[in-house]
């Protein structure tokens, strides 16, 4: 458990996703009496999905920072145990800690690994773990009031259909690659505190179509490494110029394209309830 040290100001772009999270998570906590007047419980969850490296984890941490809530990151290796039955026992104390320290943002990274489709796991020992996960999210034994669930996945089509329902992950938000305006914001954030000479964030954003936030960071890392190699030889700081950044961008390929190739098929042929309509809209496909 930790206190998040970033807010939405540190996350470039994703304004529509931020506003959805505000409506679901932030506004109820800031106006609890008004929210409860309508008979609503403060809590619930949001599932973020999209290509890797587009800021799902960072956005989740920034959500906790926006409301000064506690932040807990749960990964697969922290839950799974070798012996059957032990994983369920590991999961319960995690939820109890979140409840005892509410308001808490409980973030499940790569949630599809913990919430896999039980239809595909008929003979698996993981089925009881998924059942326990569902029971804890429902608050069957203790109230989850003030516990906010955020999940991130690159493969939402592999999650069990019982998770996206009211009281669990009742909002499913597509986190696309940053658009040009968002890339400008991300580039400006990445350039802070670095010896970048005459940054033209608009030009660079135009030249990095389909790049994720992680891809843009990789561009900066590559350009900086090359300039740092020269700096060590010359014994002085060598500024990172626009030519260096643009060359690094040409040498790297956006990592989002392979994801969309796979997501396109699922969105077209396994789109129960219209969950993946946002992907189709992003791709410009009219089903």
């Amino acid at each position: 458990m930790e206190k998040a040290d970033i807010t939405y100001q540190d996350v470039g772009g994703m304004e529509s996703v931020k506003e959805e999270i505000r409506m679901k998570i932030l506004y109820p906590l800031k106006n609890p009496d008004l929210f409860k007047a309508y008979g609503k419980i403060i809590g619930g969850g949001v599932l973020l999905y999209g290509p890797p490296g587009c800021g799902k984890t960072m956005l989740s941490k920034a959500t906790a920072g926006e409301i000064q809530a506690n932040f807990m990151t749960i990964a697969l290796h922290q839950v799974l145990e070798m012996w059957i039955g032990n994983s369920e026992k590991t999961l319960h104390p995690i939820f109890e800690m979140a409840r005892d320290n509410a308001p808490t943002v409980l973030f499940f990274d790569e949630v599809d690994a913990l919430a896999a489709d039980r239809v595909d796991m008929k003979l698996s020992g993981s089925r009881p773990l998924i059942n326990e996960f569902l029971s804890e999210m429902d608050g069957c034994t203790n109230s989850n009031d003030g516990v906010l669930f955020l999940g991130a996945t690159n493969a939402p089509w592999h999650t069990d259909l019982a998770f996206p329902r009211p009281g669990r992950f009742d909002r499913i938000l597509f986190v696309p690659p940053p658009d040009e305006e968002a890339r400008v914001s991300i580039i400006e954030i990445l350039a802070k505190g670095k010896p970048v000479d005459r940054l033209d964030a608009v030009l660079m954003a135009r030249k990095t179509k389909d790049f994720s936030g992680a891809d843009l960071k990789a561009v900066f890392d590559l350009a900086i490494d090359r300039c740092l190699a020269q700096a060590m030889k010359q014994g002085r700081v060598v500024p990172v110029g626009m030519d260096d950044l643009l060359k690094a961008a040409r040498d790297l390929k956006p990592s989002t394209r392979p994801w969309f190739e796979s997501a396109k098929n699922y969105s077209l042929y396994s789109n129960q309830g219209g969950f993946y309509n946002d992907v189709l809209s992003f791709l410009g496909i009219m089903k």
Side-chain angles (χ1 to χ4, degrees):
M1 183 170 290
E2 60 178 313
K3 285 289 186 181
D5 55 359
I6 60 173
T7 64
Y8 283 170
Q9 289 185 342
D10 302 298
V11 181
M14 294 191 281
E15 296 306 322
S16 61
V17 179
K18 290 175 185 175
E19 186 58 26
E20 288 274 6
I21 295 177
R22 286 189 186 102
M23 289 298 300
K24 174 63 183 174
I25 291 178
L26 304 187
Y27 295 151
L29 274 175
K30 292 179 179 178
N31 303 278
D33 294 335
L34 182 61
F35 202 66
K36 289 180 179 179
Y38 287 88
K40 302 287 286 186
I41 297 175
I42 298 174
V46 174
L47 178 63
L48 306 173
Y49 78 96
C54 288
K56 296 184 290 294
T57 301
M58 188 176 185
L59 183 64
S60 299
K61 189 171 184 179
T63 299
E66 283 285 308
I67 51 174
Q68 291 83 50
N70 294 307
F71 183 70
M72 294 178 65
T73 303
I74 311 303
L76 183 65
H77 70 275
Q78 295 170 298
V79 176
L80 287 188
E81 297 279 352
M82 180 186 300
W83 308 109
I84 293 176
N86 282 4
S87 298
E88 298 90 281
K89 294 178 182 177
T90 303
L91 193 62
H92 179 68
I94 291 172
F95 277 84
E96 283 295 284
M97 185 183 296
R99 294 175 185 125
D100 292 342
N101 293 277
T104 301
V105 173
L106 193 54
F107 174 63
F108 295 92
D109 198 10
E110 302 298 340
V111 73
D112 53 289
L114 285 172
D117 192 340
R118 288 170 292 181
V119 173
D120 299 330
M121 307 177 70
K122 292 180 179 177
L123 302 178
S124 171
S126 297
R127 285 175 61 87
L129 172 61
I130 299 169
N131 293 337
E132 176 68 17
F133 194 175
L134 290 167
S135 177
E136 294 289 350
M137 290 189 76
D138 287 338
C140 292
T141 56
N142 293 287
S143 171
N144 286 330
D145 193 21
V147 179
L148 313 168
F149 307 115
L150 279 173
T153 177
N154 301 327
W157 34 82
H158 293 321
T159 59
D160 195 277
L161 292 176
F163 282 92
R165 49 140 273 195
R168 297 168 184 169
F169 293 122
D170 49 1
R171 291 283 179 89
I172 302 177
L173 302 181
F174 174 50
V175 182
D179 59 19
E180 188 169 316
E181 183 180 350
R183 292 197 298 276
V184 170
S185 178
I186 293 169
I187 289 164
E188 290 173 344
I189 291 172
L190 289 171
K192 286 181 180 178
K194 300 179 179 68
V196 179
D197 183 39
R198 298 179 182 178
L199 176 70
D200 188 341
V202 175
L203 173 61
M204 189 173 171
R206 197 179 305 131
K207 297 290 187 180
T208 51
K209 187 178 183 295
D210 296 334
F211 277 57
S212 68
D215 293 334
L216 292 173
K217 185 178 183 303
V219 169
F220 270 82
D221 288 343
L222 179 57
I224 287 170
D225 286 345
R226 289 170 174 173
C227 291
L228 184 58
Q230 296 179 36
M232 288 188 290
K233 292 177 181 177
Q234 299 178 24
R236 65 178 182 86
V237 174
V238 175
V240 180
M242 278 299 298
D243 288 342
D244 300 309
L245 290 169
L246 292 174
K247 185 178 186 307
R250 288 193 297 270
D251 292 340
L252 296 173
K253 303 298 180 186
S255 63
T256 63
R257 289 173 183 168
W259 184 88
F260 276 107
E261 290 175 6
S262 176
K264 177 181 176 182
N265 291 328
Y266 283 104
S267 300
L268 283 171
Y269 307 114
S270 300
N271 193 16
Q272 300 95 335
F275 283 164
Y276 311 127
N277 286 349
D278 288 339
V279 175
L280 296 176
S281 297
F282 184 85
L283 294 172
I285 297 173
M286 299 301 295
K287 188 176 179 182

